[in-house]
């Protein structure tokens, strides 16, 4: 049954099973409910009621997950963590990118609408929540003092960008994009529709080039998973309860 107790819940969405497992290890009272083929783990973490779940891969899967969280579990804020490929020349593997804006790089309904603009919404870019994002920036810097933290545009599309030519094309077309992944902008569109605050953080696992697939799984286990758990924990400690 969906919650009906009026308790404000924060959704913790992870992109990889290793990330979710690291977060669940911090939740001593987690209990599972399956909805739409997804396992939603409810519990508490650092003074907040939370629901943790995998996003699924790709924009549609992520949008379904966000909608179930909002409709069934009545979450009032969403934090999304995961990995991404670096695009901007100054970002490198192991850096952390906190999203301030998200855009679908494969959305193109031209000539009816401008490239990247979501039809009938009049916008291509979706902003994250200012308060949550600032808290996330501070939390990432605190939890990972040796990592470089960047803030700006993250772009999403239904493809794993793994060639230097495609990476260079995206850099040329969307010059302020810091990183590319497959889910964030879809979450942002759902949150925009519902008026739900969203924050997004991505650890850079590769440079979205010809070597993007190399040791990806090992990177997730060794770097991205502990990074996500540390950032989530620090974020919830700093975030005011609602």
């Amino acid at each position: 049954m969906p919650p009906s107790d009026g308790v404000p819940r924060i959704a913790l969405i992870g992109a990889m099973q290793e990330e979710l497992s690291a977060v669940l290890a911090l939740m001593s009272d987690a209990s599972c409910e399956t909805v739409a083929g997804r396992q939603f783990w409810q519990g508490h973490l650092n003074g907040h009621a939370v629901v943790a779940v995998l996003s699924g891969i790709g924009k549609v899967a992520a949008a379904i997950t966000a909608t179930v969280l909002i409709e069934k579990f009545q979450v009032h804020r969403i934090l999304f963590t995961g990995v991404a490929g670096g695009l901007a020349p100054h970002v490198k593997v192991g850096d952390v990118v906190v999203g301030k804006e998200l855009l679908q790089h494969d959305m193109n309904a031209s000539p009816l609408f401008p490239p990247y603009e979501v039809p009938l919404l009049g916008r291509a870019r979706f902003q994250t929540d200012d308060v949550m994002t600032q808290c996330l920036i501070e939390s990432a810097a605190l939890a990972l003092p040796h990592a470089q933290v960047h803030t700006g545009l993250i772009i999403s599309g239904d493809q794993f960008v793994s060639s230097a030519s495609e990476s260079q094309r995206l850099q040329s077309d969307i010059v302020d994009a810091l990183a590319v992944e497959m889910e964030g902008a879809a979450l942002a569109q759902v949150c925009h529709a519902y008026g739900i605050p969203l924050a997004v953080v991505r650890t850079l696992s590769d440079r979205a080039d010809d070597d993007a697939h190399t040791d990806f799984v090992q990177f997730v286990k060794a770097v991205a998973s502990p990074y996500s758990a540390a950032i989530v924990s620090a974020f919830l400690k700093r975030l005011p309860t609602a």
Side-chain angles (χ1 to χ4, degrees):
M1 293 294 292
S4 58
D5 51 15
V7 175
R9 290 173 171 81
I10 300 174
L12 307 176
I13 305 180
M16 305 289 290
Q17 181 61 52
E18 292 84 356
E19 295 175 297
L20 180 64
S21 296
V23 170
L24 291 178
L26 303 175
M27 298 168 56
S28 60
D29 63 342
S31 61
C32 182
E33 180 177 352
T34 300
V35 180
R38 292 152 169 78
Q39 291 185 323
F40 294 82
W41 296 86
Q42 298 185 74
H44 294 81
L45 184 55
N46 292 342
H48 296 271
V50 301
V51 185
V53 64
L54 286 178
S55 64
I57 298 174
K59 294 187 298 180
V60 173
I64 292 170
T65 301
T67 302
V68 172
L69 283 165
I70 295 166
E71 290 281 358
K72 295 289 186 180
F73 293 92
Q74 300 170 9
V75 300
H76 73 304
R77 287 182 280 192
I78 293 178
L79 171 62
F80 182 43
T81 69
V83 294
L87 286 179
H90 64 285
V91 303
K92 62 183 185 300
V93 173
D95 286 358
V96 172
V97 176
V98 176
K100 280 201 170 182
E101 293 183 309
L102 295 113
L103 171 149
Q104 297 181 50
H105 67 77
D106 56 356
M107 173 62 72
N108 189 349
S110 61
L112 299 178
F113 301 90
Y116 313 122
E117 182 176 303
V118 177
L120 307 182
L121 286 186
R123 64 169 62 215
R125 299 182 181 222
F126 294 83
Q127 285 71 40
T128 54
D129 180 72
D130 288 341
V131 173
M132 290 180 67
T133 296
Q134 184 57 40
C135 181
L136 191 54
I137 294 168
E138 296 169 358
S139 300
L142 180 67
L144 307 170
H146 302 297
Q148 185 69 40
V149 179
H150 309 273
T151 309
L153 174 66
I154 298 173
I155 61 175
S156 310
D158 282 319
Q159 64 182 110
F160 182 73
V161 179
S162 58
S163 72
S165 59
E166 179 63 12
S167 177
Q168 290 165 6
R169 184 190 68 79
L170 289 172
Q171 291 177 57
S172 176
D173 291 348
I174 311 170
V175 295
D176 58 334
L178 296 178
V180 59
E181 36 89 307
M182 298 180 66
E183 297 87 21
L187 288 174
Q189 185 174 336
V190 173
C191 287
H192 172 77
Y194 280 96
I196 298 294
L198 171 70
V200 176
V201 60
R202 292 287 199 168
T203 302
L204 299 187
S205 60
D206 56 81
R207 282 288 308 169
D209 56 15
D210 298 328
D211 297 319
H213 64 286
T214 305
D215 296 327
F216 177 80
V217 174
Q218 179 59 31
F219 179 90
V220 171
K221 291 180 179 179
V223 180
S225 178
Y227 270 29
S228 291
I231 292 171
V232 167
S233 182
F235 174 80
L236 291 176
K237 286 179 181 178
R238 298 179 66 87
L239 187 70
T241 56

